[in-house]
Amino acid sequence: GPVLETLADFGEVRTSITLGTFGKANGKSPREVIQPHLDLIDTSSIMDMTIGGYPAVVYRNPQGPWAARVAYITGIDGTVFTIVAQPLEPDRWPAGVESFDRLWNTVVNSLQFFSAFR
C-alpha cells in the first residue's frame, strides 16, 4: 500500500498485517479469551465471526500510536491465532482505507488452518 506518512519515530507508515499465535484457549470461546483485555479494547467494536472455519472475534484496539483491527481465532487443537492489521485510522489516513480493507479481506477470506498431519 501507499506510504501514509513518514514519522521521525517510525519511518514510513504503511498498512501492515501480522498473523501469530496467542497460546491455548483451554476450552474458552474467542470472547472469553479476550475478556481479561477488555480495558484495551473498543468494546463497541467487538464482532463475532468465523475465520477459516473456526470461531473468531474481531475488534478495534485503540492502543499504541494508532489503532489496529485485531482478530482472535480459536483454531485447531484449541490454539488461539491472532491477526493484527494497522493502522486503522480512516480520519487520519483516508488514503490507507482501501489498502487496509483489501489486505484484511484477502487474509480473512483466504486463511486456512491445517492439522500437523494434513
Side-chain angles (χ1 to χ4, degrees), residues 16 19 24 38 96 109-110:
S16 67
L19 292 106
K24 294 289 186 176
L38 289 179
N109 292 323
S110 64

Side-chain angles (χ1 to χ4, degrees), residues 60-78:
R60 180 179 176 274
N61 180 348
Q63 303 297 307
W66 43 72
R69 182 177 295 156
V70 179
Y72 278 58
I73 308 135
T74 53
I76 293 172
D77 298 327

Side-chain angles (χ1 to χ4, degrees), residues 90-104:
D91 293 334
R92 184 173 177 185
W93 294 305
V97 171
E98 183 181 343
S99 297
F100 184 97
D101 288 341
R102 187 174 53 244
L103 184 61
W104 178 265

Side-chain angles (χ1 to χ4, degrees), residues 79-117:
T79 298
V80 178
F81 296 91
T82 60
I83 304 171
V84 178
Q86 59 181 347
L88 181 56
E89 298 284 351
D91 293 334
R92 184 173 177 185
W93 294 305
V97 171
E98 183 181 343
S99 297
F100 184 97
D101 288 341
R102 187 174 53 244
L103 184 61
W104 178 265
N105 290 332
T106 298
V107 171
V108 168
N109 292 323
S110 64
L111 191 62
Q112 297 182 33
F113 298 94
F114 300 96
S115 69
F117 300 102

